[in-house]
Amino acid sequence: MRIIFLGSPQFAVHPLEALVAAGHTIAAVITQPDRPAGRDRRLTPPPVKLAAQALGLPVLQPESLRDPAVVEQLAALRPDVGVVAAYGEILRKNVLAIPPLGYLNIHPSLLPLHRGPTPVAGAIMAGERETGVSVMRLDPGMDSGPLLAQVVVPLPADVRAGPLTDALFQLGARLLVESLPPYAAGELLPQAQDHSLATVTRLLKKADGQLDWALPALVIERVTRAYDPWPGAHTSWHGQPLRLLRAVVHPDWAGAEQPGTLLGHGQAGGPLVATGSGALELLELQPAGKRAMAGAAWLAGVKDHGGLFGQ
């Protein structure tokens, strides 16, 4: 098939490589423009661009698909179908109308659950016991199009958003390649989602990672996994920033100390912190400007065992 591929981040490389390996013709790869990144703000290409160049594929980097000239350029490619994997822009009707078979999208959740920009974080924060990946045909709404295929996977209690997202896109890439031939032949018909069951995630901001110790320990522990690698789980100690990397909940603690109070050490030797419900043992921390360290090692250098996190 003749395909236009739209994607940008590293995990979107998986479906691009899978489509090429399956023998499809990639008419063009559309990805976001190079952006400043890192401390030196150096202009950096999206990972999908680098992968496309390595595969010898043509690359387009429009500022927006709202530009009529860009829409004409896409139409001139005469694709049979489009594939979208975390491109970074919602497609409007004039773009959706270009391929005869529409656009297929890989979404790392069990739609209609966790629509929107942060489905993996949403599943972790909701405490789901399973998640998965969906292949759907795009419509003008947000992740509301009909489904071609889904795969369900268990959601381990210690899973982190970064590695899980990558694993789901690898799974989604295989699902996409398997679904394309029967879909094109009219043998696999998209099925409408049950919109009454839909939940919607939102775009995360840096401030979302700032911990509120008045929340239950269970919720704070989920934050450390759902917001990894970005925006991360952040607090402070004596005014110095501190990132929480791994933690474990002590649900039976029922003291009256103020949330955020350092209670001493937990079973693994890490700092034990009072929360709004239960206590949280910090297994791995990263002080500002330093490498990650075990919570026990951090605690060994602390003298004020009655101090408060977040101040």
Side-chain angles (χ1 to χ4, degrees):
M1 299 179 68
R2 186 171 173 83
I3 297 171
I4 52 174
F5 181 91
L6 292 79
S8 297
Q10 182 62 46
F11 47 78
V13 172
H14 297 306
L16 176 59
E17 292 179 338
L19 290 168
V20 172
H24 297 289
T25 298
I26 308 299
V29 172
I30 296 88
T31 189
Q32 292 293 314
D34 296 0
R35 308 287 191 196
R39 291 184 177 180
D40 58 0
R41 309 303 293 163
R42 180 177 301 176
L43 208 59
T44 303
V48 163
K49 176 183 178 179
L50 298 178
Q53 291 174 333
L55 292 166
L57 303 175
V59 176
L60 302 176
Q61 293 180 275
E63 284 290 342
S64 173
L65 299 182
R66 294 177 178 270
D67 184 344
V70 174
V71 178
E72 290 183 10
Q73 191 176 20
L74 296 182
L77 294 170
R78 301 181 64 84
D80 298 313
V81 68
V83 170
V84 182
Y87 171 60
E89 182 178 342
I90 294 177
L91 308 189
R92 296 197 299 170
K93 290 182 179 180
N94 59 345
V95 175
L96 290 173
I98 292 172
L101 293 173
Y103 291 80
L104 302 187
N105 174 247
I106 297 175
H107 189 78
S109 84
L110 295 176
L111 291 170
L113 297 179
H114 307 299
R115 294 175 178 175
T118 53
V120 175
I124 294 174
M125 288 301 300
E128 306 282 11
R129 294 189 176 182
E130 62 183 21
T131 187
V133 64
S134 305
V135 174
M136 67 172 175
R137 177 165 174 161
L138 286 182
D139 66 9
M142 179 181 286
D143 302 325
S144 57
L147 300 172
L148 272 71
Q150 281 187 332
V151 173
V152 179
V153 297
L155 193 62
D158 60 349
V159 72
R160 308 185 75 81
L164 177 59
T165 300
D166 192 74
L168 289 176
F169 270 88
Q170 290 186 54
L171 183 60
R174 296 195 295 271
L175 191 63
L176 171 72
V177 168
E178 293 170 0
S179 302
L180 264 174
Y183 170 65
E187 300 166 359
L188 178 59
L189 301 179
Q191 302 296 312
Q193 297 185 39
D194 184 346
H195 302 301
S196 68
L197 301 177
T199 60
V200 180
T201 63
R202 61 180 177 82
L203 193 65
L204 295 174
K205 301 177 181 179
K206 182 69 174 178
D208 290 319
Q210 191 64 41
L211 294 179
D212 178 0
W213 292 100
L215 293 173
L218 180 66
V219 173
I220 298 174
E221 190 278 332
R222 288 176 183 170
V223 168
T224 67
R225 296 182 291 110
Y227 296 173
D228 173 48
W230 197 89
H234 300 273
T235 188
S236 59
W237 177 257
H238 288 192
Q240 297 300 309
L242 193 64
R243 180 167 180 168
L244 273 62
L245 300 178
R246 289 193 305 119
V248 64
V249 175
H250 290 251
D252 296 332
W253 178 85
E257 285 83 355
Q258 179 180 346
T261 300
L262 175 57
L263 304 170
H265 64 83
Q267 295 175 357
L272 190 67
V273 187
T275 74
S277 176
L280 194 71
E281 183 177 357
L282 313 183
L283 301 180
E284 189 175 6
L285 304 167
Q286 186 174 12
K290 298 183 179 180
R291 294 183 178 181
M293 63 174 63
W298 180 87
L299 185 61
V302 172
K303 297 179 180 179
D304 181 11
H305 280 217
L308 284 173
F309 285 92
Q311 293 187 354

